[in-house]
Amino acid sequence: MFVLELTYTAPIERIEAALPDHVTWLDGLYASGDIIASGRKVPRDGGIILAVGDDRTRVERLVATDPFSVAGLCEYRITEFLATKTAPELAAHRRQPPS
């Protein structure tokens, strides 16, 4: 699983202008099962996305297609973690650490 932390690098007016395209991009990732949650940070200086999968390179490629990234409006920090404990609804995403 991955925590994708976006930090805006452009004025909020430019973020707002690109937001519809970013939301469409998110909708596609929800439909494909690549992400399970997303939202704005508080204070609103970026956002957080929870992505699922085991392939960091694939996640990096997805991030590069975000309209915010393409337009140079944000920077991403990608943190990979093993979700060893989850709510029951997320049980399919649990992973055990290597022995």
Side-chain angles (χ1 to χ4, degrees):
M1 190 169 286
F2 298 86
V3 177
L4 312 179
E5 181 179 8
L6 297 75
T7 301
Y8 299 145
T9 58
I12 198 69
E13 296 79 20
R14 290 189 59 206
I15 299 300
E16 287 293 338
L19 191 57
D21 290 338
H22 174 74
V23 170
T24 298
W25 175 78
L26 289 171
D27 290 343
L29 294 179
Y30 278 110
S32 66
D34 288 306
I35 65 173
I36 57 172
S38 62
R40 296 175 179 175
K41 291 193 296 187
V42 178
R44 188 178 177 197
D45 62 358
I48 300 289
I49 300 169
L50 294 182
V52 296
D54 298 321
D55 185 348
R56 184 182 183 95
T57 301
R58 184 170 189 282
V59 170
E60 290 170 350
R61 284 193 306 258
L62 289 174
V63 163
T65 65
D66 178 356
F68 284 174
S69 291
V70 172
L73 303 178
C74 76
E75 294 178 346
Y76 269 92
R77 178 177 172 210
I78 301 172
T79 304
E80 184 173 2
F81 75 102
L82 293 175
T84 56
K85 188 168 180 70
T86 67
E89 300 82 8
L90 298 176
H93 302 293
R94 291 182 194 151
R95 300 289 184 266
Q96 294 306 310
S99 5

